Amino acid sequence: MSSLTTIGFDADDTLWENEQFFRLSEKHFEALLAPYTDATDLSDRLLEVERRNLDLYGFGIKGFTLSLLETALEVTDGKIPSSVLNEILAAGREMLRHPIETLPHVQATLEQLAGRYRLVLITKGDLFDQERKLAQSGLGDFFDAVEIVSNKDRATYERIFSRHGDGPERSMMIGNSLKSDVVPAIQAGGWGIYVPHGLTWVLEHVDAPVAEPRFREIENLGALAPLLAEIG
């Protein structure tokens, strides 16, 4: 088996907290709309709009905020006051300003691996926001390359691991999303390491590829170094 030379890391909810701020904003959104609609399926309606808008807005806070506004207009038949729309916009801006909270074991793990492997940050979402979060995290110097992409599929990992490494077969991708981080990396010929997070967006859910020999699941990034020693 070819030795591992390159390790890719997801960012949101792998290196730092992210999804919890979307959930909190959604609860605030529901409270704002409560006086103006009796819809009991507001969360489902928002998810439907987000799904519909992914191809237009992509992933990230700006697209989420636009979907909140669109949902508010739809469920109230356009009768939502402009003051509430302004509050939704303000909530989106607050998300974009929120301080970065790194997850446990991240700093120590990157310190252990830097210099031993080529480390590549591979994240999807809004370019400016992802650059902001990386800068505020203080983790940027650990990475040999940073790739901010619109989507993560097999071709994405084939391209990135060929550009920054020795091909997918000598590479590993680590993240909290089975759909975006793990499954397509394995399909490309690499390792896919799943690090579950307590909150993962429903559109990122797929079944774990437990039969794949290059699939592993670890509790947190503190378990990565022992795993690397095990697989060689």
Side-chain angles (χ1 to χ4, degrees), residues 28 84 96 148 151 229:
H28 181 50
V84 177
L96 288 167
I148 300 172
N151 201 11

PDB file of all heavy atoms in Angstrom, residues 28 84 96 148 151 229:
ATOM      1  N   HIS A  28     -34.102  32.053  16.286  1.00  0.00           N
ATOM      2  CA  HIS A  28     -34.408  33.486  16.323  1.00  0.00           C
ATOM      3  C   HIS A  28     -35.364  33.853  15.193  1.00  0.00           C
ATOM      4  O   HIS A  28     -36.316  34.635  15.392  1.00  0.00           O
ATOM      5  CB  HIS A  28     -33.100  34.272  16.203  1.00  0.00           C
ATOM      6  CG  HIS A  28     -33.273  35.754  16.241  1.00  0.00           C
ATOM      7  ND1 HIS A  28     -34.002  36.413  17.222  1.00  0.00           N
ATOM      8  CD2 HIS A  28     -32.793  36.739  15.416  1.00  0.00           C
ATOM      9  CE1 HIS A  28     -33.977  37.709  17.001  1.00  0.00           C
ATOM     10  NE2 HIS A  28     -33.256  37.932  15.911  1.00  0.00           N
ATOM     11  N   VAL A  84     -39.014  43.509  10.324  1.00  0.00           N
ATOM     12  CA  VAL A  84     -38.625  42.131  10.610  1.00  0.00           C
ATOM     13  C   VAL A  84     -37.580  41.660   9.597  1.00  0.00           C
ATOM     14  O   VAL A  84     -36.618  40.969   9.955  1.00  0.00           O
ATOM     15  CB  VAL A  84     -39.860  41.196  10.603  1.00  0.00           C
ATOM     16  CG1 VAL A  84     -39.439  39.744  10.839  1.00  0.00           C
ATOM     17  CG2 VAL A  84     -40.850  41.637  11.663  1.00  0.00           C
ATOM     18  N   LEU A  96     -21.856  36.611  10.529  1.00  0.00           N
ATOM     19  CA  LEU A  96     -20.613  36.870   9.801  1.00  0.00           C
ATOM     20  C   LEU A  96     -19.539  37.513  10.678  1.00  0.00           C
ATOM     21  O   LEU A  96     -18.361  37.493  10.324  1.00  0.00           O
ATOM     22  CB  LEU A  96     -20.889  37.777   8.598  1.00  0.00           C
ATOM     23  CG  LEU A  96     -21.648  37.128   7.435  1.00  0.00           C
ATOM     24  CD1 LEU A  96     -22.139  38.182   6.467  1.00  0.00           C
ATOM     25  CD2 LEU A  96     -20.773  36.109   6.716  1.00  0.00           C
ATOM     26  N   ILE A 148     -10.761  26.634  -1.148  1.00  0.00           N
ATOM     27  CA  ILE A 148     -12.150  26.980  -0.842  1.00  0.00           C
ATOM     28  C   ILE A 148     -12.948  26.717  -2.110  1.00  0.00           C
ATOM     29  O   ILE A 148     -12.748  27.377  -3.131  1.00  0.00           O
ATOM     30  CB  ILE A 148     -12.274  28.441  -0.388  1.00  0.00           C
ATOM     31  CG1 ILE A 148     -11.426  28.671   0.862  1.00  0.00           C
ATOM     32  CG2 ILE A 148     -13.738  28.794  -0.112  1.00  0.00           C
ATOM     33  CD1 ILE A 148     -11.329  30.123   1.297  1.00  0.00           C
ATOM     34  N   ASN A 151     -18.176  23.084  -4.103  1.00  0.00           N
ATOM     35  CA  ASN A 151     -18.760  21.789  -3.760  1.00  0.00           C
ATOM     36  C   ASN A 151     -17.629  20.787  -3.578  1.00  0.00           C
ATOM     37  O   ASN A 151     -16.498  21.023  -4.020  1.00  0.00           O
ATOM     38  CB  ASN A 151     -19.726  21.316  -4.839  1.00  0.00           C
ATOM     39  CG  ASN A 151     -20.704  20.280  -4.320  1.00  0.00           C
ATOM     40  OD1 ASN A 151     -20.799  20.050  -3.113  1.00  0.00           O
ATOM     41  ND2 ASN A 151     -21.447  19.667  -5.218  1.00  0.00           N
ATOM     42  N   ALA A 229      -0.753   6.102  13.062  1.00  0.00           N
ATOM     43  CA  ALA A 229       0.269   5.117  13.422  1.00  0.00           C
ATOM     44  C   ALA A 229      -0.213   3.706  13.122  1.00  0.00           C
ATOM     45  O   ALA A 229       0.568   2.832  12.722  1.00  0.00           O
ATOM     46  CB  ALA A 229       0.614   5.262  14.904  1.00  0.00           C
TER      47      ALA A 229
END
